[in-house]
Amino acid sequence: QVQLVESGGGLVQAGGSLRLSCAASKSIASFNAMGWYRQAAGKQRELVAFIRNDSYTEYADSVKGRFTISRDDAKNTVDLQMNDLQPEDTNVYYCRALVVIITTPYDYWGQGTRVAVSS
């Protein structure tokens, strides 16, 4: 079992920055990938960014050039630096860890951290 705890959410004005952090209860070096997702009320959860254990990254088109995902295997954390935040970035942000054991995938999610951007 893996526990993920997000932190760093809050209220910020448009154009501002926030840094989200996801702390894992186990070594993330063994995780296949970790990612950040977001979900607005009444909408589906969507991918924001993910990073594989080989440090390959992908981003949603809406955040490219503004958000950066990074990992620190020594601290077992994955961070999401969010710059130039806009009101449409207002969401609950969730951390996800994907662990594949042999061929079976295991999905773990954090409880979420709320981000609100005022115009």
Side-chain angles (χ1 to χ4, degrees):
Q1 192 73 5
V2 175
Q3 280 77 47
L4 302 172
V5 179
E6 303 100 332
S7 61
L11 174 63
V12 65
Q13 287 189 329
S17 298
L18 282 173
R19 188 176 184 89
L20 305 183
S21 187
C22 173
S25 61
K26 294 186 176 181
S27 171
I28 68 170
S30 62
F31 296 176
N32 294 76
M34 293 190 73
W36 285 94
Y37 291 71
R38 63 189 183 187
Q39 185 171 24
K43 294 189 176 182
Q44 282 192 326
R45 194 169 294 187
E46 62 177 12
L47 172 70
V48 177
F50 75 81
I51 184 166
R52 294 192 320 213
N53 55 5
D54 60 0
S55 296
Y56 173 82
T57 59
E58 279 200 10
Y59 297 88
D61 287 343
S62 59
V63 307
K64 283 180 181 176
R66 300 188 297 126
F67 292 11
T68 303
I69 189 170
S70 61
R71 58 189 291 155
D72 187 331
D73 288 5
K75 295 181 179 179
N76 294 323
T77 57
V78 172
D79 289 356
L80 184 69
Q81 177 65 42
M82 306 187 295
N83 298 328
D84 190 24
L85 283 160
Q86 300 300 316
E88 53 266 33
D89 295 316
T90 295
N91 275 288
V92 178
Y93 285 72
Y94 297 90
C95 178
R96 177 196 183 203
L98 174 65
V99 182
V100 178
I101 299 176
I102 305 179
T103 58
T104 303
Y106 295 87
D107 243 340
Y108 301 96
W109 293 88
Q111 294 297 309
T113 185
R114 189 173 300 275
V115 172
V117 184
S118 63
S119 56

